[in-house]
Amino acid sequence: MDLCIELEDFKLNIRAGAIIIHDNKLLTHKDTRKNNHYCIPGGRIELGENSEETIKREIREEMQKEIEIKKYIGIIENFFILNEKKYHELFFIYNAEFTNEQDKKINTTMSNKEGKDYLVYEWIDIGKIEEYNVLPKCIKTILKEKREKVHIINDDINQKYIVE
């Protein structure tokens, strides 16, 4: 059971995501049906599951790849509106890499392995990341400043942005 709860006019999400980089490119995923933005791979934490297990499970399910968690980067308290719905999201971020040496060499767009044809995985050149709509936007800050152990409050609803 995903840790996603609807309360009043908000949806509470508890998620985990992985920053996977090679050849100065960031692995992202995009929903080609409707969204014009990119996110880092990951997903909702399930009841009784920790955030590291979530990342590994999501990558295994969606890409049929194994990853190793390298380090904890931080947490983003993310407030935003998507499809006219307000979200309050707690987003745990980790640095990870593929465990298989051949997987580390992949540089092409990949498809979802769960039958979600609309979900694609693309590599974005970090040097050109400003040209892409990566959400939450603070992922760009983490990458550009090579930040670790961050606590970011990204509040698009009230237009506040705090990096600790």
Side-chain angles (χ1 to χ4, degrees):
M1 176 179 286
D2 289 344
L3 291 179
C4 179
I5 304 163
E6 294 209 31
L7 299 167
E8 297 177 13
D9 59 342
F10 271 93
K11 186 178 245 185
L12 172 65
N13 267 341
I14 303 177
R15 302 188 69 226
I19 291 177
I20 301 174
I21 298 173
H22 74 259
D23 293 335
N24 204 39
K25 292 184 180 176
L26 171 68
L27 182 62
T28 64
H29 74 250
K30 180 178 180 177
D31 182 338
T32 60
R33 295 174 301 181
K34 56 186 172 201
N35 297 333
N36 66 347
H37 65 268
Y38 296 83
C39 298
I40 59 174
R44 291 186 182 116
I45 296 172
E46 293 182 351
L47 191 61
E49 179 180 61
N50 71 49
S51 56
E52 284 189 33
E53 291 169 346
T54 297
I55 299 288
K56 291 177 180 179
R57 175 185 52 76
E58 289 285 348
I59 299 292
R60 189 178 312 113
E61 288 174 358
E62 293 182 2
M63 301 177 70
Q64 295 181 348
K65 307 285 183 206
E66 297 296 326
I67 61 165
E68 174 185 6
I69 302 295
K70 300 308 265 180
K71 64 184 162 190
Y72 173 72
I73 293 176
I75 188 165
I76 300 168
E77 292 184 57
N78 198 18
F79 299 85
F80 60 97
I81 298 173
L82 180 64
N83 300 326
E84 300 179 16
K85 183 73 177 169
K86 289 194 280 187
Y87 284 79
H88 178 170
E89 181 175 81
L90 300 177
F91 195 18
F92 296 89
I93 307 294
Y94 292 88
N95 180 280
E97 68 180 31
F98 293 124
T99 57
N100 180 292
E101 289 302 316
Q102 293 297 68
D103 291 341
K104 291 178 185 180
K105 297 175 185 174
I106 297 171
N107 61 8
T108 57
T109 298
M110 296 173 274
S111 60
N112 181 278
K113 303 300 183 191
E114 289 183 303
K116 299 176 184 173
D117 297 340
Y118 55 86
L119 192 58
V120 295
Y121 302 86
E122 297 179 24
W123 295 96
I124 292 177
D125 186 329
I126 293 174
K128 296 179 181 179
I129 198 157
E130 289 302 327
E131 298 174 17
Y132 294 89
N133 185 18
V134 177
L135 296 178
K137 293 175 188 169
C138 53
I139 295 295
K140 293 178 183 182
T141 302
I142 291 169
L143 292 170
K144 286 189 289 189
E145 297 178 6
K146 298 182 180 174
R147 300 202 41 129
E148 295 180 17
K149 306 295 188 224
V150 297
H151 174 202
I152 297 174
I153 300 172
N154 184 71
D155 188 344
D156 289 342
I157 295 171
N158 297 303
Q159 300 175 348
K160 294 180 188 174
Y161 183 74
I162 302 166
V163 179
E164 297 173 347

